[in-house]
Amino acid sequence: MKKLLFLFLTLLAAGSIFQACDNTKTYAEMLDDEKDAVNQFIKDSAIHVISQAEFERDTVTDVSKNQYVSFSSNGVYMQIVDRGSEPDEMTNLVDTFASGDLICVRYVEKNIATRELTCFDVPLPDYMSATQYYSTPGTFRYSVNSTYASGIFIEMDYLWSYTYNNTAVPQGWLAVLPYLRNGAHVKLIIPSKVGHNTAQQNVTPYFYDIWKMSKAKS
């Protein structure tokens, strides 16, 4: 009887382990889930996707048509709401971002898979009393060479510091800077591979409404 009971418990334990292993998704399956979440978000948000080739003709996304450009190299989707500063009237030069710039960012971040608000440093109606959330913008140092761009937060906003506590700027943010000018407003869909560490670890895509990217005042 004891032998039968032991055998039963052993089989039960083995079955539980097998089920647990069976429920563990592979990285490839997690990437498929991420892709499905992004596609559903695009559908639910009535986003009109244009190709990078189409975008490169004039580097404009038509906000009235809710256009986003899809970058095939990194999976980022971008809508330029406002490119930023206009050319200087005297010199006709534009104030673009360059290596070494300190850049302040005001943003709203949402988890695309769950649609939850996850991080922000702008005044939102439901959080007006929590002034520490938006009192200070995130500020990072932008560095770029011929092959690679990087960004390191010199000062993290309150929620980014509390939630992620990581100074690396998402590569997806940096990838769009060449198309923007000082003071730009842009919306982004960032897949996990070019997101922050938490996004990469959990294979989670994020949506960003970056209200303003601007050079820090010296």
Side-chain angles (χ1 to χ4, degrees), residues 45-185:
S45 303
I47 290 172
H48 176 210
V49 178
I50 62 174
S51 68
Q52 187 170 349
E54 183 178 354
F55 170 73
E56 293 287 358
R57 295 172 192 162
D58 52 15
T59 63
V60 170
T61 52
D62 190 335
V63 177
S64 68
K65 297 178 180 178
N66 201 24
Q67 284 184 347
Y68 280 64
V69 55
S70 171
F71 293 102
S72 57
S73 61
N74 53 28
V76 171
Y77 294 81
M78 174 183 70
Q79 180 182 83
I80 299 175
V81 181
D82 184 344
R83 191 181 301 279
S85 59
E86 294 297 323
D88 183 87
E89 293 182 359
M90 299 295 293
T91 64
N92 203 37
L93 297 176
V94 293
D95 191 9
T96 55
F97 297 106
S99 186
D101 283 344
L102 273 179
I103 301 176
C104 295
V105 59
R106 293 285 190 177
Y107 69 93
V108 176
E109 176 195 74
K110 293 183 179 179
N111 181 318
I112 285 178
T114 64
R115 311 296 175 91
E116 294 176 328
L117 176 67
T118 47
C119 218
F120 62 92
D121 67 356
V122 296
L124 298 178
D126 292 340
Y127 301 92
M128 292 302 294
S129 60
T131 56
Q132 73 272 27
Y133 289 178
Y134 56 87
S135 59
T136 306
T139 303
F140 66 90
R141 176 77 66 184
Y142 177 49
S143 300
V144 62
N145 57 39
S146 58
T147 59
Y148 186 74
S150 64
I152 299 296
F153 278 111
I154 305 301
E155 184 174 6
M156 291 181 281
D157 61 85
Y158 181 87
L159 283 178
W160 191 280
S161 176
Y162 178 81
T163 307
Y164 304 124
N165 192 29
N166 188 283
T167 59
V169 175
Q171 279 293 316
W173 290 14
L174 305 177
V176 303
L177 283 177
Y179 300 100
L180 306 177
R181 301 171 186 159
N182 188 24
H185 178 186

